[in-house]
Amino acid sequence: MLKFNAQNKFKIMQITDIQEVQNISPDTLALLNAAVEAERPDLVVLTGDQIKGYGITYKGKGKELEKHVAATIEKIMRPITDRGIPFAVTFGNHDRQVGVSNRDQFEDIYKSFPGCVGEQAEEIDGGGTFALPIYSADGKKLVFNLYLIDSGTDKKGGYEAVTKEQIEWYKKTRDKLIEDNGGKVVPSIVFQHIPLQEYYHVLKQVKKGTKGAIRAFRIHKNEYYLLGDTCKAGDVLLEPPSIPDENTGEFDALAEKGDVLAVFVGHDHKNSFVGRYRNVDLGFTQSAGFNEYGNGVHRGVRVIELDAENPETYQTHTLEFKDLVGNKLHKPFKDFIFRHSPTCFDAAIPMIEKALAVLAAIIILIVLLAKLF
């Protein structure tokens, strides 16, 4: 049972996009150890892409493959498990791509570690979709609730959306909590990996060429955005939210009865902001792993603090590598490449086009000079 402490406080740490390989970056472990040690949260929530499931990073088949995956996960979990801190896990688009299903990772690997909390919703396939109630310090009263939702994986040209079955599960769970709470909504926060389409409503569309504007793709192709007015000083938007092309109505359901205070996601490694739309906060947390692209020493984690005496509000801040560990990285050149590489295939296209244009200009110049001389 998760409970508020004697001071009526409960601290959550969100860690996302660790996206590690078997040869784990020491900088990833340094960040995780320093963050968990500094905050000593009551619960760690892992919001997907714990491992880099694509490519040739993991080899083998069946039990051999699962053994390699488990060994990597065990290492990235040590900063949490060694300190005896409870944790909950959902999944991103890359976890299952390793060849071990989310359900098998959830049931066979994560649940084998001490402190793993949460049981997969029975009516939902896979792993990583469940509710986590948080009770008063004496354990007698439900005060708050967390929803973890497995937001799916890649699909042709984009990403899957949260399914209608998951949305119905959320509604059913929410309504049961209201019934058990004497007809009052239970304040809640949602954690998942992939952002909802509504994240674009906390951004401000601007003209091409506007200083600092980010170019979007797919259903927002060739549109440009800045952070909107509800975002705060220090918030960061460095890449367009990579949303599903289909809107299955998840946000409308979450906003329907006023129980959900906020949604926190990962997925787009360089973004770190919180904006507000229809009385729901929509937050991004930057990536924590150094074996994939990210924002250099600004990689980090998010802390969310709850108060049982005022559960309808929360406080949040992020912790960055530069403040916890320092500015020195083990592989600075590799990180330079990661910081400047395209964030997705769509982002790579204009970079390739620009490179080809430069190459064409050089060839034309050489041909002209050859004719002159």
Side-chain angles (χ1 to χ4, degrees), residues 276-348:
R276 192 163 181 81
Y277 175 62
R278 286 174 52 187
N279 295 321
V280 178
D281 290 342
L282 298 177
F284 260 110
T285 298
Q286 69 266 49
S287 64
F290 283 82
N291 261 323
E292 187 47 83
Y293 87 90
N295 194 17
V297 295
H298 297 287
R299 287 176 175 87
V301 303
R302 179 174 295 281
V303 175
I304 299 164
E305 297 176 277
L306 309 176
D307 187 337
E309 295 180 355
N310 191 15
E312 291 80 15
T313 63
Y314 69 93
Q315 301 295 321
T316 186
H317 63 276
T318 58
L319 301 171
E320 297 184 355
F321 182 93
K322 68 179 181 65
D323 299 318
L324 292 166
V325 182
N327 291 306
K328 188 176 181 180
L329 299 176
H330 279 76
K331 295 183 177 180
F333 179 72
K334 181 179 180 180
D335 188 67
F336 177 86
I337 299 298
F338 276 150
R339 280 188 288 120
H340 293 88
S341 61
T343 58
C344 63
F345 177 77
D346 295 292

Side-chain angles (χ1 to χ4, degrees), residues 24-36:
I24 296 174
S25 166
D27 292 323
T28 299
L29 293 178
L31 170 60
L32 298 182
N33 273 298
V36 175

Side-chain angles (χ1 to χ4, degrees), residues 66-205:
E66 187 169 324
K67 181 180 177 181
H68 292 315
V69 172
T72 303
I73 293 174
E74 190 271 336
K75 291 175 185 176
I76 63 178
M77 292 302 299
R78 280 182 189 169
I80 302 163
T81 56
D82 284 355
R83 292 173 173 84
I85 296 171
F87 71 91
V89 59
T90 190
F91 297 96
N93 51 308
H94 293 312
D95 294 285
R96 73 187 72 182
Q97 292 172 349
V98 75
V100 180
S101 71
N102 290 353
R103 177 172 286 279
D104 287 345
Q105 289 185 45
F106 185 72
E107 296 291 341
D108 299 340
I109 300 176
Y110 287 101
K111 290 180 72 172
S112 71
F113 303 136
C116 184
V117 296
E119 294 291 341
Q120 171 68 11
E122 293 182 0
E123 58 265 57
I124 304 298
D125 291 335
T129 298
F130 51 91
L132 281 177
I134 307 174
Y135 292 88
S136 57
D138 61 10
K140 295 180 179 180
K141 179 177 173 53
L142 175 61
V143 177
F144 207 88
N145 187 66
L146 307 178
Y147 294 99
L148 278 73
I149 298 176
D150 182 345
S151 54
T153 187
D154 301 351
K155 61 181 292 186
K156 186 175 181 180
Y159 303 98
E160 293 178 345
V162 167
T163 67
K164 293 185 182 297
E165 289 77 14
Q166 288 172 303
I167 295 170
E168 288 305 311
W169 163 83
Y170 155 73
K171 288 182 176 181
K172 179 181 176 181
T173 306
R174 173 201 64 196
D175 292 345
K176 183 65 166 61
L177 288 175
I178 292 173
E179 179 184 344
D180 293 346
N181 198 40
K184 297 180 181 179
V185 298
V186 178
S188 304
I189 288 177
V190 174
F191 292 99
Q192 63 185 59
H193 185 74
I194 296 175
L196 297 75
Q197 284 193 0
E198 284 76 9
Y199 269 71
Y200 276 87
H201 289 294
V202 303
L203 305 181
K204 180 190 300 182
Q205 187 174 355

